Short mmCIF file of all heavy atoms in Angstrom, two decimals:
data_model
loop_
_atom_site.label_atom_id
_atom_site.label_comp_id
_atom_site.label_asym_id
_atom_site.label_seq_id
_atom_site.Cartn_x
_atom_site.Cartn_y
_atom_site.Cartn_z
N GLY A 23 -31.75 -10.81 13.87
CA GLY A 23 -30.33 -11.46 13.74
C GLY A 23 -30.16 -12.62 14.65
O GLY A 23 -30.84 -12.61 15.86
N ILE A 24 -29.32 -13.63 14.39
CA ILE A 24 -29.05 -14.70 15.20
C ILE A 24 -27.48 -14.74 15.22
O ILE A 24 -26.81 -14.88 14.22
CB ILE A 24 -29.42 -15.99 14.63
CG1 ILE A 24 -30.95 -15.95 14.35
CG2 ILE A 24 -29.05 -17.14 15.39
CD1 ILE A 24 -31.86 -15.99 15.54
N PHE A 25 -26.89 -14.75 16.59
CA PHE A 25 -25.55 -14.91 16.58
C PHE A 25 -25.10 -16.36 16.52
O PHE A 25 -25.88 -17.21 16.69
CB PHE A 25 -24.96 -14.35 17.94
CG PHE A 25 -24.92 -12.91 18.01
CD1 PHE A 25 -25.91 -12.09 18.62
CD2 PHE A 25 -24.02 -12.15 17.22
CE1 PHE A 25 -25.95 -10.73 18.75
CE2 PHE A 25 -24.09 -10.73 17.33
CZ PHE A 25 -25.01 -10.05 18.04
N ASP A 26 -23.79 -16.62 16.21
CA ASP A 26 -23.21 -17.84 16.14
C ASP A 26 -23.56 -18.70 17.50
O ASP A 26 -23.70 -17.97 18.50
CB ASP A 26 -21.78 -17.64 16.01
CG ASP A 26 -21.16 -18.90 15.25
OD1 ASP A 26 -21.90 -19.88 15.07
OD2 ASP A 26 -19.97 -18.90 14.94
N ARG A 27 -23.56 -19.96 17.54
CA ARG A 27 -23.86 -20.71 18.59
C ARG A 27 -25.29 -20.41 19.08
O ARG A 27 -25.55 -20.52 20.23
CB ARG A 27 -22.96 -20.58 19.76
CG ARG A 27 -21.61 -21.00 19.31
CD ARG A 27 -20.51 -20.91 20.61
NE ARG A 27 -19.31 -20.74 20.06
CZ ARG A 27 -18.57 -21.86 19.68
NH1 ARG A 27 -19.23 -22.96 19.53
NH2 ARG A 27 -17.34 -21.84 19.17
N ARG A 28 -26.19 -20.04 18.12
CA ARG A 28 -27.59 -20.07 18.38
C ARG A 28 -27.98 -18.97 19.46
O ARG A 28 -29.00 -19.11 20.05
CB ARG A 28 -28.13 -21.37 18.75
CG ARG A 28 -27.79 -22.35 17.67
CD ARG A 28 -28.57 -23.70 18.02
NE ARG A 28 -27.94 -24.76 17.23
CZ ARG A 28 -27.55 -25.80 17.84
NH1 ARG A 28 -27.58 -26.06 19.08
NH2 ARG A 28 -27.00 -26.80 17.09
N ALA A 29 -27.18 -18.01 19.69
CA ALA A 29 -27.43 -16.99 20.66
C ALA A 29 -28.39 -15.93 19.78
O ALA A 29 -27.78 -15.22 19.08
CB ALA A 29 -26.26 -16.34 21.17
N ALA A 30 -29.61 -15.84 20.09
CA ALA A 30 -30.48 -14.90 19.36
C ALA A 30 -30.23 -13.56 19.78
O ALA A 30 -29.84 -13.26 20.92
CB ALA A 30 -31.91 -15.31 19.63
N SER A 31 -30.26 -12.59 18.89
CA SER A 31 -30.13 -11.09 19.29
C SER A 31 -31.52 -10.79 20.01
O SER A 31 -32.47 -11.56 20.01
CB SER A 31 -30.08 -10.21 17.96
OG SER A 31 -31.26 -10.42 17.25
N GLU A 32 -31.56 -9.66 20.74
CA GLU A 32 -32.66 -9.34 21.49
C GLU A 32 -34.05 -9.43 20.76
O GLU A 32 -35.02 -10.06 21.27
CB GLU A 32 -32.45 -7.94 21.94
CG GLU A 32 -33.05 -7.85 23.52
CD GLU A 32 -33.27 -6.34 23.77
OE1 GLU A 32 -32.30 -5.74 23.92
OE2 GLU A 32 -34.39 -6.03 23.80
N ALA A 34 -34.69 -11.18 18.20
CA ALA A 34 -35.00 -12.55 17.87
C ALA A 34 -35.52 -13.36 19.14
O ALA A 34 -36.57 -14.03 19.07
CB ALA A 34 -33.79 -13.18 17.47
N GLU A 35 -35.10 -12.83 20.40
CA GLU A 35 -35.57 -13.41 21.65
C GLU A 35 -37.02 -13.05 21.80
O GLU A 35 -37.86 -13.96 22.23
CB GLU A 35 -34.73 -13.05 22.70
CG GLU A 35 -33.51 -14.01 22.94
CD GLU A 35 -32.54 -13.26 23.93
OE1 GLU A 35 -32.74 -12.34 24.59
OE2 GLU A 35 -31.38 -13.91 23.96
N VAL A 45 -38.63 -20.25 17.43
CA VAL A 45 -37.38 -20.02 16.70
C VAL A 45 -36.21 -20.80 17.30
O VAL A 45 -35.49 -21.35 16.63
CB VAL A 45 -36.99 -18.42 17.00
CG1 VAL A 45 -35.83 -18.16 16.51
CG2 VAL A 45 -38.16 -17.67 16.27
N LEU A 49 -33.75 -23.46 15.44
CA LEU A 49 -32.30 -23.39 15.60
C LEU A 49 -31.62 -24.69 15.97
O LEU A 49 -30.66 -25.06 15.61
CB LEU A 49 -31.85 -22.18 16.62
CG LEU A 49 -32.07 -20.68 16.00
CD1 LEU A 49 -31.73 -19.73 17.01
CD2 LEU A 49 -31.67 -20.45 14.68
N MET A 54 -29.97 -23.38 10.84
CA MET A 54 -29.32 -22.06 10.83
C MET A 54 -28.45 -21.92 12.08
O MET A 54 -28.80 -22.30 13.12
CB MET A 54 -30.36 -21.01 10.92
CG MET A 54 -30.12 -19.67 11.70
SD MET A 54 -28.89 -18.66 10.79
CE MET A 54 -29.94 -17.58 9.82
N ASP A 55 -27.10 -21.74 11.66
CA ASP A 55 -26.16 -21.74 12.82
C ASP A 55 -25.59 -20.47 13.16
O ASP A 55 -24.66 -20.29 13.96
CB ASP A 55 -24.93 -22.81 12.47
CG ASP A 55 -24.38 -22.35 11.24
OD1 ASP A 55 -24.66 -21.30 10.71
OD2 ASP A 55 -23.38 -23.01 10.80
N GLY A 56 -26.20 -19.36 12.65
CA GLY A 56 -25.78 -18.03 12.89
C GLY A 56 -24.48 -17.69 12.32
O GLY A 56 -23.98 -16.55 12.64
N VAL A 78 -31.29 -13.90 10.22
CA VAL A 78 -29.87 -13.49 9.57
C VAL A 78 -28.64 -13.74 10.51
O VAL A 78 -28.73 -13.30 11.60
CB VAL A 78 -29.82 -11.98 9.17
CG1 VAL A 78 -28.56 -11.67 8.45
CG2 VAL A 78 -30.97 -11.75 8.18
N GLY A 79 -27.79 -14.58 10.04
CA GLY A 79 -26.67 -14.95 10.91
C GLY A 79 -25.76 -13.60 11.03
O GLY A 79 -25.42 -13.04 10.22
N LEU A 80 -25.31 -13.64 12.41
CA LEU A 80 -24.51 -12.35 12.74
C LEU A 80 -23.01 -12.74 13.01
O LEU A 80 -22.26 -11.96 13.29
CB LEU A 80 -25.03 -11.72 13.95
CG LEU A 80 -26.58 -11.13 13.76
CD1 LEU A 80 -27.02 -10.71 15.08
CD2 LEU A 80 -26.68 -10.21 12.64
N GLY A 81 -22.78 -14.06 13.04
CA GLY A 81 -21.38 -14.47 13.32
C GLY A 81 -21.28 -14.48 14.92
O GLY A 81 -22.27 -14.31 15.60
N LYS A 82 -19.97 -14.65 15.38
CA LYS A 82 -19.68 -14.67 16.88
C LYS A 82 -19.96 -13.30 17.40
O LYS A 82 -19.53 -12.31 16.88
CB LYS A 82 -18.27 -15.00 17.03
CG LYS A 82 -18.01 -16.51 16.78
CD LYS A 82 -16.78 -16.92 17.59
CE LYS A 82 -16.32 -18.25 17.26
NZ LYS A 82 -15.68 -18.39 15.91
N GLN A 83 -20.68 -13.34 18.52
CA GLN A 83 -21.12 -12.06 19.19
C GLN A 83 -19.79 -11.13 19.47
O GLN A 83 -19.73 -9.94 19.39
CB GLN A 83 -21.92 -12.24 20.39
CG GLN A 83 -22.52 -10.93 21.03
CD GLN A 83 -23.80 -11.18 21.69
OE1 GLN A 83 -24.12 -12.34 22.18
NE2 GLN A 83 -24.55 -10.24 22.03
#
Side-chain angles (χ1 to χ4, degrees):
I24 303 290
F25 285 108
D26 205 353
R27 300 186 195 287
R28 306 187 196 126
S31 67
E32 212 201 293
E35 272 165 13
V45 174
L49 293 182
M54 147 69 92
D55 59 2
V78 179
L80 303 175
K82 287 205 186 70
Q83 191 152 18

